[in-house]
Structure formats: C-alpha cells, structure tokens
C-alpha cells in the first residue's frame, strides 16, 4: 500500500488542473482539487478529472486560503499537496508546509512513489548539470512540479481525452475564507504589461543569443522564425541584460523549459544554463561563428559562420 493514496492539488489558474490531476493520478492517488478562485473557474476545476473539489471561498487574495487549507489538511490528513509552479502557489504551498511542518519538494521533473511508499522526485541542480533524486519524509508533503512536467502532462491529457472532452462534474465542498487572513493587504490592482508569448506551446523555436550586435538585427531572427514557423526565444542576457526581449522569452534553467520539434540556436554560446531549456527538443541546430562554441556539442546540425551571412542565406533557401 502506498502512502500517496490521497493527494490534493491546487493552482491559481483553472486550466492548470487537468495536468496537476494527471500528475497526482500517476501516483495512484485519489485526487481532490483545492480551488481558491471564483465560481466561473469552479466549473472548469470540477470537470478536470479530480474526484472532489474543495472550494475555499471568500478570500480577497489566493494567499488568504492558505490558513484554511492548512487547517483542512491537518484535519483530513491527505498524503500530499501538489501545487502549480507559480510564485503565488509556491507561497501558498510554503505556508501550508510551514504550518504542517512538512517537507517541500520543488521543481520536480518527475514524481513517483518508491517501493516503501514514499513520494520521490527528480530535480535538476547546478544549472541543469546534474539531477538529484529526493525522497520525501513525514506523513505529509508539499510538491511543486516543474513547468515542463505539467506541460507534458497537459499534452498527454489533451491527446487522451480528445473527442471525449471534459470529465463529468464532481462533488464540491465549500469552506469560508476570512478576507485578509494571510496577513497580506491588497492595496491596488494594476495590469502588468507582459509579452503574451507561450514558448512551451511552440512547435519550433529560434533562440537568439548575444551574437546579435544590435536590437534591430533581431529582424533576422524573426525572419528565420517566419520561414520555419517558429516562436522566437532568447538567452538570459538578451532579455535581462540588453532588455531586447521580454523576460517571458528567455529559455533555460531560470527561464522557460521547452520540448519543441526544432530548436535553432543563433549566436548562442551554448552554456548549460541556457541549453538545459532545450534538452527536450527533437532536433537542435546551431549557428555560431566560433567552431569551438559549446553549443555545437549539443547540436544535431551545426553551421560555423557569421549569423549575418548565414541567416539571410538560410531564409532565402527555406523560402525558395
Ligand atoms: C545561476 C545562473 C542561471 C542562469 N540561467 C540562465 C538561463 O536560464 N538562461 C540563459 O540563457 N542563461 C542563463 N544564465 C547565463 C548563462 O550562463 C550564459 O551566460 C548565457 O546563456 C550566455 O548567453 P549567450 O549565449 O547569448 O551569450 P554568450 O555566451 O556571450 O555567447 C554569444 C555567442 O555568440 C557567438 N557570436 C558572436 N558573434 C556572432 C556572429 N556574428 N555570428 C554567429 N555567432 C556569433 C559567439 O561565438 C558566442 O558563442 C545563467 C547563469 C547563471 C550563473
């Protein structure tokens, strides 16, 4: 008998539940979905495949649900809480773990149950240079899967459910949340300007590195992306140093982790912190003027040359 028989999942966004439920079901668990959002989202959560929904209603902020969630977890003793890897859900998960004196497993690339029934996770460390296997101790665990694990589960669920559509609605239990109980006061709501790109959903990616000398030269990368039907991503310095692209576009250990069919790295040196984001790519192509650049060790196809010369020629060939 495993210890992971009863698992709760929680997210900010109703659309994350199908993947979270799939992760929990893979552990062989009975799954309950904890929802801290509005009635509209509740419908989607109750048809996400969970066996039951625990609706925490009345909080101003998602974080307000954490004390009630911890109280319920203490009373009902689930084996684990799996939360979506967003900043606010990590905070909720950490609050619950602190109150329950539970261990936390974060950014798991895989989750399973070992022969003794304990939750076991793999996680990348040293910027993706190594993988650790962690085994949870104690009667209750808070786990945070990495975004790539959720994306692959979402794709599996979409393939499997196909024409069958959403699951039938399950039972919903509602509990009242005291607004402000998290101790955080909402002062103002302001829309954040974000780049709406979803690199994880892209079939092909062109990744831009510091080999580009000027921001206007990125037009070359966008031209190549159009020719191969790709989204454009970048290395961290291009987003956070030069600020030529939004933070949402950088790939790697601290950015997006991707599983595209084709990944073309242009003017990218190939440091592990970046390339780890492309380890799930089926085919990697590198364009770099330095034949000793580490990116070539990870590429299936490499072109040694100046990107200002190679990219326009490549685009012309592709468009022919
Ligand atoms: C804790 C930590 C976390 C990090 N997380 C991330 C992360 O998530 N994502 C990430 O991307 N980075 C991350 N980094 C940074 C990472 O280590 C590298 O510094 C970064 O990825 C390098 O970016 P780059 O390849 O664009 O630049 P560079 O390393 O400067 O490489 C530029 C390349 O362009 C080539 N080049 C130059 N001119 C041309 C030309 N005209 N034509 C063709 N090629 C040309 C050069 O030969 C060179 O190989 C992290 C670092 C740390 C310490």
């Amino acid at each position: 008998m495993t210890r992971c028989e009863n698992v709760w999942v929680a997210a900010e966004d109703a659309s994350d539940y199908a993947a979270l439920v799939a992760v929990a079901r893979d552990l062989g668990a009975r799954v309950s979905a904890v929802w801290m959002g509005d009635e509209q989202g509740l419908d989607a959560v109750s048809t996400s495949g969970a066996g039951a929904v625990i609706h925490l209603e009345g909080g101003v902020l998602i974080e307000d649900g954490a004390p009630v969630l911890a109280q319920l977890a203490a009373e009902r003793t689930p084996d684990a809480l799996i939360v979506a890897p967003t900043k606010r859900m990590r905070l909720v998960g950490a609050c619950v773990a602190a109150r329950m004196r539970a261990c936390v497993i974060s950014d798991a690339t895989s989750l399973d149950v070992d022969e003794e029934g304990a939750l076991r996770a793999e996680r990348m460390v040293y910027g993706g240079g190594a993988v650790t296997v962690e085994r949870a101790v104690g009667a209750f665990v808070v786990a945070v899967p990495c975004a790539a694990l959720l994306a692959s589960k979402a794709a599996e669920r979409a393939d499997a459910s196909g024409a069958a559509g959403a699951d039938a609605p399950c039972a919903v239990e509602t509990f009242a949340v005291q607004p402000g109980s998290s101790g955080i006061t909402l002062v103002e709501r302001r829309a954040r300007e974000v780049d709406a790109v979803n690199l994880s959903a892209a079939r092909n990616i062109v990744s831009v590195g510091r080999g580009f000398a000027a921001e206007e030269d990125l037009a070359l990368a966008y031209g190549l992306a159009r020719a191969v039907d790709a989204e454009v991503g970048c290395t961290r310095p291009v987003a956070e140093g030069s600020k030529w692209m939004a933070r949402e576009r950088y790939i790697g250990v601290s950015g997006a982790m991707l599983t595209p069919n084709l990944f073309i790295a242009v003017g990218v040196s190939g440091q592990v912190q970046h390339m780890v984001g492309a380890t799930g790519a089926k085919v990697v192509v590198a364009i770099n003027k330095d034949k000793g650049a580490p990116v070539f060790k990870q590429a299936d196809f490499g072109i040694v040359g100046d990107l200002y010369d190679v990219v326009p020629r490549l685009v012309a060939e592709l468009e022919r």
Side-chain angles (χ1 to χ4, degrees):
M1 212 162 66
T2 71
R3 239 182 44 202
C4 270
E5 292 175 329
N6 180 9
V7 172
W8 292 4
V9 299
E12 284 173 62
D13 191 334
S15 64
D16 282 337
Y17 277 83
L20 282 169
V21 168
V23 169
R25 276 189 183 166
D26 281 355
L27 303 172
R30 208 166 62 244
V31 187
S32 298
V34 179
W35 175 241
M36 295 179 266
D38 57 16
E39 290 289 329
Q40 203 185 349
L42 183 59
D43 288 343
V45 175
S46 71
T47 54
S48 63
V53 174
I54 297 168
H55 184 204
L56 307 184
E57 193 185 41
V60 174
L61 297 167
I62 284 232
E63 291 82 346
D64 288 342
V68 182
L69 177 52
Q71 182 62 35
L72 281 172
E75 288 166 11
R76 299 188 173 194
T77 62
D79 301 304
L81 168 69
I82 302 181
V83 299
T86 58
K87 282 186 186 147
R88 296 178 70 192
M89 287 316 299
R90 285 173 197 272
L91 180 57
V92 169
C95 288
V96 173
R99 284 172 187 242
M100 300 279 290
R101 297 188 159 275
C103 80
V104 179
I105 290 177
S106 69
D107 299 302
T109 51
S110 74
L111 279 171
D112 67 358
V113 178
D114 75 8
E115 34 313 311
E116 287 166 27
L119 191 69
R120 182 174 54 187
E122 285 190 346
R123 197 161 79 77
M124 284 194 267
V125 289
Y126 303 124
V131 173
T132 58
V133 180
E134 297 177 358
R135 185 175 181 275
V137 292
F140 177 70
V141 184
V142 174
V144 189
C146 73
L149 175 57
L150 280 190
S152 73
K153 287 292 160 200
E156 267 175 35
R157 272 295 294 269
D159 285 350
S161 48
D167 285 50
C170 61
V172 178
E173 273 185 287
T174 303
F175 296 87
V177 169
Q178 202 59 37
S181 57
S182 59
I184 303 170
T185 308
L186 177 66
V187 178
E188 182 190 354
R189 281 192 200 273
R190 208 185 299 163
R192 187 164 69 106
E193 280 181 30
V194 287
D195 190 327
V197 69
N198 180 4
L199 291 184
S200 307
R203 284 172 54 237
N204 301 321
I205 297 281
V206 170
S207 180
V208 166
R210 268 199 298 213
F212 285 79
E215 186 173 2
E216 52 271 27
D217 302 345
L218 299 185
L220 285 173
Y222 285 105
L224 177 57
R226 269 193 303 279
V228 294
D229 191 20
E231 270 294 353
V232 178
C234 63
T235 60
R236 186 160 110 171
V238 171
E240 294 207 322
S242 315
K243 303 214 184 307
W244 289 347
M245 285 195 194
R247 204 192 170 282
E248 287 75 16
R249 285 194 188 259
Y250 89 75
I251 297 157
V253 67
S254 4
M257 306 285 279
L258 311 173
T259 52
N261 288 331
L262 174 66
F263 182 87
I264 309 180
V266 188
V268 169
S269 58
Q271 299 305 320
V272 64
Q273 293 89 354
H274 180 70
M275 294 308 288
V276 74
T279 44
K282 291 206 176 84
V283 177
V284 175
V285 177
I287 301 169
N288 196 304
K289 69 178 182 184
D290 172 11
K291 71 174 182 335
V295 71
F296 288 123
K297 291 208 178 91
Q298 294 151 82
D300 299 290
F301 301 94
I303 302 174
V304 179
D306 189 321
L307 70 91
Y308 290 93
D309 172 40
V310 173
V311 174
R313 283 167 57 195
L314 196 53
V315 172
E317 277 302 314
L318 287 163
E319 285 176 347
R320 257 191 334 127

